[in-house]
Amino acid sequence: MKKITFLVLAMAVSLFSIAQRVTDLPLIQPDVKTPEVFKAQTHHALQSRAIGDTLWSDDFSDPSNWKMYSGSGSAYSGHWVIQNTDNDAFGYNTGTIHSTTWQNGYAAFDADANGSDGMDTSDEYIEYTKPIDCSSLESVAIVGQQFGRKWQMTHVFIEVSKDSANWTAFELDPALPLSTIMTDTFFVVNISSVAAHEDSVYLRFHYKGGWDYGWCFDDLAFIQAPMYDLAGIIWNPISSHAGIYSEL
């Protein structure tokens, strides 16, 4: 036992002596570059809002917040509507959205019911009537729920503007197979390139196609997006409640 105690004491004295000699050496600063992702995350820590914080939301429960109109290329007599019906026949039997709050209203455009023949062209908009203040956000994403089905001419866009005259379009689900009813109805689109730091941001949805099926939207929100996601990437939620997303 005495031998073991003596050995431990001897090792401690040796380490202390080495530490003294090391501290006497000149300090050399390593030439290490900070990774870009780390810079972005460090910068994000200075922001007033956390990732996922909601700045604005709308669930279509008040139709007066929205206006519907046709583009110059539309041959349709019908527009987007706000409704709360469960209709299996909507969009040539595509059915309507079963979003979180569909029963108090959702936006819908029935391209099949509003068309009359294969030559029809749909160019329809639904626009939020008030500017949204995003001046407190360094990065902005729009999240929401959608439901629809594409045909040969179908293109659906989220469009964002700083002056309600010049719009930037973000196409939703460009790779969705034709005639396939979507099963993943949540979407997230980073709109920072247009909306970040802006005190007046305008929002609209644009359906462009022919005699197609139909599309629905509901439960929209502007949230604080990650600082390192600035490319207008469309994301799919891993969990619709946790707010965790993965890139497509």
Side-chain angles (χ1 to χ4, degrees):
M1 180 67 180
K2 289 182 180 179
K3 290 182 180 179
I4 294 173
T5 303
F6 177 78
L7 180 59
V8 171
L9 289 172
M11 291 176 64
V13 171
S14 299
L15 289 172
F16 179 74
S17 299
I18 294 170
Q20 281 187 317
R21 290 198 296 272
V22 170
T23 56
D24 293 336
L25 294 175
L27 182 62
I28 301 174
Q29 294 290 348
D31 182 17
V32 178
K33 293 183 178 180
T34 305
E36 291 300 318
V37 171
F38 179 77
K39 283 182 181 178
Q41 291 172 335
T42 303
H43 182 59
H44 172 73
L46 302 176
Q47 296 176 178
S48 60
R49 292 179 177 271
I51 295 172
D53 277 1
T54 300
L55 174 72
W56 163 88
S57 63
D58 190 275
D59 61 3
F60 293 98
S61 57
D62 184 357
S64 67
N65 287 337
W66 298 87
K67 61 181 178 180
M68 302 79 159
Y69 54 93
S70 297
S72 59
S74 186
Y76 274 43
S77 57
H79 306 299
W80 285 88
V81 297
I82 294 176
Q83 60 188 30
N84 61 354
T85 56
D86 185 6
N87 182 5
D88 290 337
F90 174 87
Y92 195 66
N93 302 321
T94 298
T96 48
I97 193 169
H98 288 165
S99 53
T100 305
T101 67
W102 70 269
Q103 290 176 314
N104 69 8
Y106 60 89
F109 178 69
D110 193 334
D112 174 65
N114 286 314
S116 58
D117 60 58
M119 298 302 293
D120 278 346
T121 300
S122 53
D123 186 21
E124 298 298 323
Y125 297 88
I126 179 168
E127 180 179 340
Y128 192 67
T129 58
K130 307 168 187 176
I132 303 166
D133 185 357
C134 297
S135 58
S136 65
L137 300 185
E138 296 189 55
S139 54
V140 190
I142 179 173
V143 304
Q145 298 180 54
Q146 63 174 338
F147 186 72
R149 185 158 47 152
K150 296 181 70 173
W151 191 229
Q152 295 170 343
M153 297 173 62
T154 309
H155 297 278
V156 181
F157 303 93
I158 293 172
E159 297 185 353
V160 185
S161 173
K162 294 182 281 190
D163 57 11
S164 73
N166 300 288
W167 297 85
T168 299
F170 301 85
E171 185 169 6
L172 285 167
D173 303 289
L176 185 70
L178 298 183
S179 199
T180 299
I181 299 176
M182 62 172 53
T183 56
D184 189 357
T185 61
F186 289 87
F187 68 86
V188 184
V189 179
N190 195 309
I191 57 172
S192 299
S193 60
V194 184
H197 299 296
E198 297 294 335
D199 59 9
S200 295
V201 176
Y202 298 87
L203 170 69
R204 70 184 184 185
F205 294 89
H206 182 190
Y207 186 101
K208 190 174 181 64
W211 193 19
D212 306 325
Y213 293 103
W215 217 271
C216 305
F217 286 106
D218 200 7
D219 298 326
L220 310 172
F222 277 15
I223 65 168
Q224 171 71 61
M227 280 300 299
Y228 47 82
D229 171 30
L230 300 175
I233 298 171
I234 297 177
W235 300 72
N236 269 345
I238 296 172
S239 167
S240 60
H241 302 290
I244 301 173
Y245 299 90
S246 65
E247 185 179 349
L248 284 173

